[in-house]
């Protein structure tokens, strides 16, 4: 109804509407005790993530980018499986997730990710360019798994819904299109998205290093990993304009957590390997 009378909407009214939407949104608490606004439920995020994962893997298969080398897949499956064992032990509901990993043949990309519901990917670029050992891979995958455990996908989707609603209302209210929308989008990004996104990254670092330690991987590897990332980043974007804490600050923070994490598993006993599916064919996603 309001969108049909957009010329009568004032900026204060628009702001009130957006704030009301946020206040009426569902709330949740992250594993670290942080309050989260949830317009999109975790279950809906899992459902939507499955569709997105199928679409992504389909494109990768068509471009012949799914790694099928048995040795590479076994390495990632073993590391990730141990992490998932600890994730399920701490969050029993995730035993119902469709835990899976696609290893993507992309030598230029330094990345890995985990969608809601445990659907993951890691790129050969980050493994090979940084010459990662198993402990460092465990830190990466533990971090990405932690995003899913902390419902960061649902939180990010919720933020996008609220931001998009605000942008649409602002553009309509001022009767301006391209330029005004771009300016508002940038303002929304830096005012709303970055603080929460950086908090989520730090949260995933903390949960991830714990998962890795419990799974039997050296916590010190979190420091060496981010030192490598810092070297790879070179003259990267300043931290205050990035959705991620800087590699240097990350290494320092994680280093301070190392002793505490090692105490959780002093002998670094390796966890059992959870049955994680290594995605090499579309039939595995049915």
């Amino acid at each position: 109804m309001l969108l049909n009378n957009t010329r009568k909407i004032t900026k204060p009214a628009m702001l009130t509407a957006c704030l009301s939407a946020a206040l009426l949104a569902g709330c949740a608490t992250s594993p670290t005790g942080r309050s989260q606004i949830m317009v999109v439920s975790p279950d809906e995020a899992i459902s939507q993530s499955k569709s997105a994962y199928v679409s992504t893997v389909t494109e990768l298969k068509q471009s012949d980018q799914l790694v099928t080398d048995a040795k590479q897949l076994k390495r990632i499956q073993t590391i990730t499986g141990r992490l998932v064992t600890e994730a399920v032990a701490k969050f029993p509901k995730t035993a119902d997730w469709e835990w899976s990993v696609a290893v993507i043949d992309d030598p230029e990309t330094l990345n890995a990710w985990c969608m809601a519901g445990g659907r993951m990917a890691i790129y050969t670029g980050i493994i090979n360019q940084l010459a990662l050992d198993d402990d460092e891979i465990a830190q990466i995958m533990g971090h990405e798994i932690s995003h899913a455990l902390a419902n960061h996908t649902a939180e990010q989707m919720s933020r996008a819904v609220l931001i998009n609603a605000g942008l649409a209302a602002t553009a309509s209210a001022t009767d301006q299109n391209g330029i005004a929308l771009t300016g508002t989008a940038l303002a929304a990004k830096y005012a709303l998205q970055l603080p929460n996104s950086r908090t989520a990254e730090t949260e995933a670092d903390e949960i991830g290093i714990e998962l890795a330690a419990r799974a039997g991987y050296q916590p010190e590897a979190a420091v060496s990993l981010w030192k490598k990332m810092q070297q790879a980043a070179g003259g990267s974007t300043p931290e205050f304009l990035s959705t991620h804490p800087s590699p240097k600050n990350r290494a320092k923070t994680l280093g301070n957590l190392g002793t505490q994490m090692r105490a959780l598993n002093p002998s670094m006993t390796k966890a059992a390997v959870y049955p994680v599916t290594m995605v090499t064919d579309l039939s595995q996603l049915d």
Side-chain angles (χ1 to χ4, degrees):
M1 289 293 291
L2 288 176
L3 293 179
N4 291 330
N5 297 283
T6 53
R7 292 182 182 276
K8 295 181 180 180
I9 299 178
T10 63
K11 288 185 180 180
M14 180 277 294
L15 291 172
T16 299
C18 290
L19 288 172
S20 296
L23 290 172
L24 291 172
C27 293
T29 303
S30 77
T32 64
R34 178 175 60 87
S35 295
Q36 299 169 294
I37 292 176
M38 294 291 189
V39 176
V40 177
S41 72
D43 286 344
E44 179 64 15
I46 290 173
S47 176
Q48 294 299 325
S49 292
K50 181 174 183 177
S51 298
Y53 193 67
V54 170
S55 175
T56 299
V57 170
T58 299
E59 293 176 4
L60 292 168
K61 181 67 174 178
Q62 291 172 346
S63 59
D64 197 29
Q65 285 185 279
L66 289 179
V67 171
T68 58
D69 179 74
K71 185 177 180 180
Q72 292 186 64
L73 295 179
K74 184 64 174 178
R75 182 190 188 196
I76 300 302
Q77 184 179 45
T78 299
I79 296 169
T80 306
R82 287 173 176 153
L83 294 166
V84 173
T85 292
E86 296 303 322
V88 171
K90 191 165 185 177
F91 303 89
K93 289 183 178 180
T94 64
D96 296 330
W97 286 7
E98 297 177 3
W99 292 100
S100 55
V101 185
V103 181
I104 303 172
D105 185 12
D106 185 341
E108 302 303 319
T109 300
L110 306 182
N111 198 18
W113 42 263
C114 181
M115 293 180 173
R119 299 173 185 89
M120 295 171 270
I122 186 169
Y123 294 73
T124 57
I126 196 168
I127 299 171
N128 298 330
Q129 282 197 43
L130 302 187
L132 299 181
D133 61 27
D134 288 2
D135 294 293
E136 291 166 337
I137 292 175
Q139 296 298 331
I140 289 176
M141 299 309 287
H143 171 88
E144 299 304 332
I145 288 169
S146 298
H147 278 306
L149 296 177
N151 291 322
H152 289 165
T153 304
E155 187 176 17
Q156 189 175 36
M157 290 171 67
S158 298
R159 191 178 305 120
V161 168
L162 291 173
I163 290 171
N164 288 338
L167 295 179
T170 302
S172 298
T174 58
D175 198 28
Q176 295 181 26
N177 298 310
I179 296 176
L181 183 58
T182 300
T184 307
L186 288 174
K189 176 180 178 182
Y190 293 119
L192 298 176
Q193 286 183 294
L194 292 187
N196 289 332
S197 293
R198 287 171 60 186
T199 298
E201 287 295 326
T202 299
E203 198 166 61
D205 279 347
E206 293 175 4
I207 300 169
I209 193 174
E210 178 180 341
L211 286 180
R214 291 184 182 279
Y217 292 100
Q218 303 289 341
E220 292 81 7
V223 178
S224 62
L225 167 66
W226 287 106
K227 284 183 177 178
K228 289 182 178 182
M229 290 292 285
Q230 184 181 8
Q231 292 173 350
S236 60
T237 304
E239 179 176 357
F240 71 94
L241 289 177
S242 171
T243 56
H244 292 225
S246 72
K248 181 178 180 180
N249 287 353
R250 248 180 162 151
K252 181 179 179 181
T253 300
L254 288 166
N256 292 336
L257 285 171
T259 302
Q260 179 183 347
M261 294 301 107
R262 179 170 286 279
L264 299 174
N265 185 3
S267 63
M268 289 289 108
T269 303
K270 292 292 190 293
V273 179
Y274 197 88
V276 174
T277 299
M278 300 306 294
V279 181
T280 59
D281 191 82
L282 299 180
S283 63
Q284 297 170 292
L285 302 178
D286 293 340

